[in-house]
Amino acid sequence: MSPHNKIDLEPPVLTHLLGLDGVPEPVITEILDTAENFLAVLERPIPKVPSLRGVTVANLFFENSTRTRISFELAEKRLSADTINFSTSGSSVAKGETLLDTVKNIEAMKVDVVVMRHWAAGSSKFLADRIDAKVVNAGDGTHEHPTQGLLDMLTIRRKLGALKGLKVLILGDIAHSRVARSNIFGLLNCGAEVKVCGPATLIPREAESLGVEVIPDLDEGLKWCNVVNVLRLQLERMSQGLIPSLRDYQRRYGLTRLRLEKAAKDIVVMHPGPMNRGVEIDSNVADGPWSVILSQVKHGVAVRMAALFLISGREKDEG
Ligand code: CP
């Protein structure tokens, strides 16, 4: 399928991309297959296509980001979209303007797609219910980070060939992680098995109702899995007393070379970034032969191109 073709997806799945909860396997596969096409585009001498010419995208970042923000901006440029970038510092949010007023004003300038990162869980849905532009969630509080989940799935699929039947261990601070939630929803919808490992204080109460088992012991988890996705220990939560100390966390849940060697099998190591080297992951693991961390970043641009293309394509077709 060419990225220039019409994509025939049933609404409401890609009217917006707010999360992976409830997104069925064929739709996820469609996004990942489209991302594969865009990966090929990114390998060309001139890595640019006219697919989103005439489409205006606003990137609204109410929370810090390195990878996601740059990746979306690059994806939009590669698709020939017009873009505007907004962050809270230097904006009228500092004067007390509400999220809705801010976005309504930006939308009045004829924006087609809003990409938003915000600290409040549910903020993307709030916006999608109230504006005409398409909304792509670039991370909303502890709720979801769907493009991260999709780029993680693309990375696994490219490395191991398929998602169905694979065993994925998500390690660390599950309770506060939107990355964990999007991975869990997306991977389960695609037939993978998912288990989580971490201190009881960082495992959400609803883990088992989400369809994932808890493995308290990391060595047991490594024996079980094909892929381990290591999450950032959110150091800002240390003050809440959720773990005894960084040293204790590293000893029990830090992914070390010794642990991987003890597992004595091929395990793919992922991390969404930013990493705390020497805490949740050692440098010789992050930079070692197990790691696909920089591939994840590369795949992120193609996945975001696919998401923006599919959403905008629908809108053009409706017109
Ligand atoms: N993975 C991720 O969301 O990283 P950023 O916070 O840097 O965007």
Side-chain angles (χ1 to χ4, degrees), residues 287-301:
D287 305 327
W290 306 272
S291 171
V292 292
I293 292 170
L294 291 179
S295 297
Q296 288 173 261
V297 177
K298 176 180 166 185
H299 298 158
V301 178

Side-chain angles (χ1 to χ4, degrees), residues 198-216:
T201 48
L202 297 180
I203 302 285
R205 281 200 196 96
E206 81 270 20
E208 293 192 353
S209 66
L210 292 177
V212 301
E213 197 181 298
V214 180
I215 302 189

Side-chain angles (χ1 to χ4, degrees), residues 83-263:
T83 62
I84 52 169
N85 298 313
F86 167 95
S87 59
T88 36
S89 70
S91 77
S92 290
V93 170
K95 299 178 197 163
E97 189 163 38
T98 65
L99 169 64
L100 190 56
D101 280 340
T102 302
V103 177
K104 283 269 187 201
N105 275 273
I106 292 169
E107 197 191 26
M109 301 180 212
K110 292 253 180 233
V111 165
D112 302 298
V113 182
V114 170
V115 173
M116 185 173 77
R117 169 166 291 191
H118 197 280
W119 45 266
S123 49
S124 292
K125 167 100 173 73
F126 173 85
L127 212 57
D129 288 343
R130 287 165 178 80
I131 65 173
D132 292 329
K134 312 283 183 175
V135 177
V136 180
N137 179 6
D140 63 330
T142 57
H143 176 231
E144 282 224 43
H145 190 351
T147 55
Q148 179 70 45
L150 290 164
L151 75 87
D152 289 345
M153 284 190 277
L154 181 65
T155 304
I156 297 171
R157 199 178 77 164
R158 285 177 71 83
K159 185 77 184 170
L160 299 176
L163 295 168
K164 194 170 166 57
L166 280 182
K167 296 179 166 75
V168 180
L169 183 71
I170 305 180
L171 170 63
D173 183 355
I174 316 296
H176 302 105
S177 176
R178 54 195 175 209
V179 175
R181 290 173 63 81
S182 288
N183 265 269
I184 289 169
F185 294 130
L187 286 164
L188 291 178
N189 292 351
C190 290
E193 282 183 66
V194 182
K195 296 191 183 187
V196 296
C197 176
T201 48
L202 297 180
I203 302 285
R205 281 200 196 96
E206 81 270 20
E208 293 192 353
S209 66
L210 292 177
V212 301
E213 197 181 298
V214 180
I215 302 189
D217 181 75
L218 177 53
D219 293 317
E220 287 301 313
L222 293 175
K223 264 191 231 159
W224 172 79
C225 72
N226 309 111
V227 177
V228 57
N229 197 347
V230 187
L231 301 178
R232 180 172 79 90
L233 181 64
Q234 304 198 13
L235 295 174
E236 58 272 29
R237 303 190 196 284
M238 283 290 291
S239 59
Q240 297 167 17
L242 293 174
I243 57 171
S245 67
L246 281 184
R247 196 185 176 85
D248 178 77
Y249 184 88
Q250 195 279 336
R251 189 176 55 77
R252 296 177 62 194
Y253 301 104
L255 192 62
T256 62
R257 182 175 171 162
L258 200 65
R259 278 206 151 104
L260 285 166
E261 286 173 352
K262 197 166 127 196

Side-chain angles (χ1 to χ4, degrees), residues 65-68 117 145 148 272-273:
S65 168
T66 298
R67 278 146 292 269
T68 311
R117 169 166 291 191
H145 190 351
Q148 179 70 45

